Structure formats: C-alpha cells, structure tokens
Amino acid sequence: MFAQINLKTIDGEEKAFKFLATASTAYRYRQVFNEDLMLQLNKLRVGADGGITAGDFTIVNNLAFIMNAQAEGKDTKKLNFELLLEWCDQFSAMELMTHAPEIINLYLGNKETHSTPKKE
C-alpha cells in the first residue's frame, strides 16, 4: 500500500513524504532493527482518539523510516541506525507521533472510508 503523508519539517515547511508498505516491510524492519515488527506493534496501546497512549513510541519513527525508504527505492541493505537518525533529524520531536495512526494504519492496510452505507 502506498501513500503520501504531509509532514512538517524542522524549518516549519510542510512536505509530502512517500510511504510504501508491502509484504517485505516486516523483513526489512527486522533486518535494520533486529526486532519483530508485529511484536512491537502489539505492545502499543491506542486510545479512543486513535493516538498512542503507551508502548515504545520509537516504533513509529522506525516503521516510517523503513516505509519511506521502500517508497523512495533506497537500497535497504544499506540502511542503519545512523541513517535513521539523519532521517528523523528533519522533523520536530513529536511530528511523526502526531501522524502515528496514519503510519501504522498504512502498514496494517487500513483505509479511511468516506463512503456511507446505503441501508441503515
């Protein structure tokens, strides 16, 4: 699944970033972070408003980094922690967390629907 998400960069500009979630995303996540992506996602607690209320918040940054690298066609064999830090340095501390539901739902394949049921 592919999406563009508008994120504010550290200089205050809003920029569209590409993200791609495929069947290989979990493998690439493990390759870079040596962690099982689904186990990490299962540890997150989501509040009624869709925001993350508990868990390791860095998973959102890590997942966004991997999905952005996939969308940009980067050589994922060369991804490492230093490149993650460089990528994250373009955002304010909470920018990716603000978009956590979008990022996680993109990976999980959830789509926001704008349709209405025909029958009550």
Side-chain angles (χ1 to χ4, degrees), residues 100-112:
E102 292 171 85
I103 293 165
I104 292 170
N105 286 336
L106 175 63
Y107 174 71
L108 296 175
N110 296 330
K111 294 182 182 178
E112 182 180 337

Side-chain angles (χ1 to χ4, degrees), residues 13-28:
E13 285 186 41
E14 195 166 291
K15 180 180 172 187
F17 285 83
K18 298 176 186 177
F19 296 94
L20 178 65
T22 67
S24 68
T25 302
Y27 295 105
R28 296 181 194 287

Side-chain angles (χ1 to χ4, degrees), residues 26-104:
Y27 295 105
R28 296 181 194 287
Y29 187 94
R30 180 182 287 282
Q31 178 184 20
V32 176
F33 301 109
N34 297 315
E35 296 177 336
D36 185 288
L37 176 57
M38 288 310 293
L39 288 176
Q40 296 302 315
L41 284 174
N42 285 334
K43 293 178 183 177
L44 294 178
R45 298 290 172 250
V46 180
D49 64 350
I52 297 173
T53 59
D56 183 356
F57 299 152
T58 61
I59 187 172
V60 175
N61 297 356
N62 297 351
L63 180 57
F65 172 67
I66 296 295
M67 291 194 310
N68 177 254
Q70 286 182 254
E72 297 288 336
K74 294 181 181 171
D75 184 355
T76 56
K77 290 181 284 189
K78 295 181 180 178
L79 298 180
N80 58 44
F81 187 70
E82 285 301 317
L83 291 174
L84 166 70
L85 295 179
E86 265 181 48
W87 188 78
C88 287
D89 278 345
Q90 63 189 318
F91 308 109
S92 66
M94 295 304 291
E95 181 62 17
L96 292 170
M97 282 306 302
T98 302
H99 296 276
E102 292 171 85
I103 293 165
I104 292 170

